[in-house]
Amino acid sequence: MKHLAYVLILVLALSCKNNQKEKVDTKVESTTQNTEKDAETTTNLPFLIDIKSLEKDTSANPIETFKTKATNLATEVIKLNKDNIKDALTKAKDFKNVVITVDNHTIVKLDVNDCKPSGAWSACMPKAEGYIKKGELAYQNDYANNIIGLPDDQERLLFLFD
């Protein structure tokens, strides 16, 4: 009887050890998948790495091209307006890359750690760098409210990337 108890304890101990090993393997696999998604996102959207790369885009409208690709690759896309921008920018602080587009003519990458209060938007608007398309792409480096304009009916999208 004593020997049977020892055997049962040994079997239980070994089965618990195998369970823990499976959990560790799952975590490693999950991390690998996230790294692959990050690589896919930055490869397909070079703007996230180098803002000036947009100037090299040969498509008719590089901003539209970005929006099309980003819609599929972003972790989340939020339609911005004056009522939700404050909450959206607070949420954006948890993401690696944050981009705002205005219709098909403006694109900016945000630095959510540097902001300036905006009366028009009733929010602390982050520093931004990007382009306004007026025939040619015009480079911009200012606070977002000065680039994306006043709140109106134009479509403003906030793209959040891990």
Side-chain angles (χ1 to χ4, degrees), residues 83-106:
D83 297 330
N84 74 351
I85 195 161
K86 197 174 201 175
D87 292 334
L89 291 173
T90 300
K91 184 176 196 167
K93 290 182 179 183
D94 296 332
F95 290 85
K96 184 176 178 183
N97 291 295
V98 181
V99 175
I100 292 178
T101 61
V102 182
D103 281 337
N104 65 352
H105 59 76
T106 303

Side-chain angles (χ1 to χ4, degrees), residues 21-65:
K21 187 174 183 180
E22 287 174 18
K23 288 180 184 176
V24 171
D25 290 344
T26 303
K27 287 180 185 176
V28 169
E29 184 177 316
S30 175
T31 303
T32 303
Q33 288 171 349
N34 288 341
T35 304
E36 288 171 2
K37 184 178 180 194
D38 290 347
E40 178 187 0
T41 300
T42 54
T43 301
N44 290 325
L45 299 171
F47 178 78
L48 297 179
I49 299 169
D50 177 19
I51 292 160
K52 302 265 183 177
S53 68
L54 203 64
E55 294 173 6
K56 298 172 190 158
D57 190 319
T58 57
S59 62
N61 188 339
I63 297 167
E64 274 296 321
T65 303

Side-chain angles (χ1 to χ4, degrees), residues 142-158:
D142 199 352
Y143 288 93
N145 55 313
N146 297 327
I147 302 172
I148 68 170
L150 298 171
D152 58 18
D153 291 338
Q154 294 184 78
E155 179 188 58
R156 289 178 175 81
L157 298 176
L158 179 74

